[in-house]
Every structure is written in C-alpha cells, then in structure tokens.
C-alpha cells in the first residue's frame, strides 16, 4: 500500500512541475499578446476628403499583427508606412512581443478615406483596430487641432491617453497553458 501512495505522490509532484513550467510568463514571443492602445488622435483635416490617424500599441505579451482598421468616419481606413518621404499602403504591421508599434507623423499612420463627414477639433471618432490574435480593439479617438504634436502636450500622459485595453469588441478566450 505504501508503494502505491509513493507512486501517486511522485505523479502528482511531476504534474505540478509540468504545470508550473508551462504557466510561465506570457511575455515570451509564443505567449498571448497583451495589447493596449493609447495616445490616439486625428489632426483636424484641411479638406473633407481624407484624414490621418495616429496612436501607439503597447504589447506586454507575445507578438501579434495589426491587420486592418475600420471607422464610421470613413468608407475605407488603410494602413500606411512612410520611409524617405514616400508613403506606401501596407497590408499589416507586426506588433513585437514586449514592444510597441508606433503610428506617428512622418511614419506609420492610418488614412481615413471617403469620409462620411469632415471631423473637426473636439469631435471623437470611434476606431476599430483588428489584430490577428487579439481580435478587435475599439478606441475612442479625439480630433485635435491640425498642428497638434503629442510631444508638446503637457496635459496628456500615456496613463491619460485613450485606451482600448479593457474594451475589446470580441470576448477574449482564456489563455491555454499546457
């Protein structure tokens, strides 16, 4: 009887070690992404045809990919990069594990095309960002003055920036740790 109890105890201890090893930090590149979106804004556009959008995705987990964006403001929202002064439409952007994806003037940005209305300073625009693993994140984006520069905005910090962390449009599945 004692031998059976020792075998059961050894099996339980082994299972506990396996579960502990598997449940390690989600920040490894194979872990689940943990995304927040902050610092979002749209500069008030000079025309009623196009607008640009900027934000920062912060990831404290595994890698993900931004694959599309939509908004009630526009018939089409496209992803763009800018290198050497040349703008190019992109199909997706990687969000690195434990890193950031920046959409800022002179670099990556969104283009809101076929506007349903001209956004003006003080408006708030709903934006849905779709990620390959994390699903949809809904962000409320303020329209700022045309010359707005977040680096000069002393009233806004990353903790006060609009965020989508707590408001995914799709329920998230529990993490699978095995």
């Amino acid at each position: 009887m004692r031998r059976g109890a020792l075998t059961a105890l050894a099996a339980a201890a082994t299972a506990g070690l396996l579960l502990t090893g598997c449940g390690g930090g989600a920040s490894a590149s194979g872990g689940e992404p943990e995304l927040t979106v902050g610092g979002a804004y749209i500069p008030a556009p000079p025309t009623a045809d196009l607008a640009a959008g900027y934000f920062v995705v912060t990831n404290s987990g595994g890698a993900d990919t931004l694959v599309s964006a939509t908004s009630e403001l526009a018939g089409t929202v496209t992803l763009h990069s800018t290198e050497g002064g040349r703008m190019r439409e992109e199909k997706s952007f990687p969000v690195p594990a434990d890193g950031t994806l920046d959409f800022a003037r002179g670099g990556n940005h969104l283009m809101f095309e076929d506007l349903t209305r001209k956004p003006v300073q003080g408006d708030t625009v709903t934006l849905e960002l779709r990620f390959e693993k994390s699903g949809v994140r809904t962000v409320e984006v303020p329209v700022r003055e045309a010359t707005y520069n977040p680096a000069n905005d002393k009233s806004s910090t990353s903790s006060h920036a609009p965020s989508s962390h707590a408001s995914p449009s799709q329920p998230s599945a529990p993490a699978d740790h095995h």
Side-chain angles (χ1 to χ4, degrees):
M1 195 67 130
R2 183 178 172 119
R3 184 172 181 201
L6 286 174
T7 301
L9 182 59
T14 301
L17 287 173
L18 288 174
L19 289 174
T20 301
C22 184
S27 64
S29 62
E32 292 296 319
E34 294 182 29
L35 308 179
T36 57
V37 178
Y41 72 98
I42 296 171
T47 69
D49 302 279
L50 296 169
Y54 308 101
F55 54 90
V56 176
V57 179
T58 302
N59 185 3
S60 59
D64 205 343
T65 303
L66 174 63
V67 295
S68 67
T70 58
S71 175
E72 87 287 347
L73 177 65
T76 305
V77 181
T78 53
L79 310 173
H80 290 264
S81 63
T82 304
E83 286 185 35
R86 299 189 71 146
M87 184 172 73
R88 184 174 76 199
E89 186 171 343
E90 302 288 348
K91 298 289 183 199
S92 63
F93 282 93
V95 182
D98 294 320
T100 60
L101 170 61
D102 292 327
F103 275 59
R105 289 183 190 255
N108 302 333
H109 60 280
L110 297 179
M111 289 302 302
F112 296 83
E113 303 168 23
D114 303 319
L115 298 181
T116 57
R117 62 183 171 79
K118 182 180 177 185
V120 296
Q121 183 177 342
D123 286 353
T124 300
V125 174
T126 300
L127 172 66
E128 290 186 345
L129 299 172
R130 180 171 306 281
F131 295 90
E132 188 174 84
K133 295 179 182 175
S134 300
V136 175
R137 295 289 191 259
T138 300
V139 184
E140 296 300 315
V141 183
V143 178
R144 305 287 191 154
E145 64 272 11
T147 59
Y148 177 74
N149 181 347
N152 297 334
D153 188 353
K154 306 264 187 264
S155 67
S156 143
T157 64
S158 61
S159 63
H160 296 113
S163 172
S164 70
H165 185 70
S167 61
S169 294
Q170 298 176 345
S172 59
D176 182 14
H177 298 287
H178 44 39

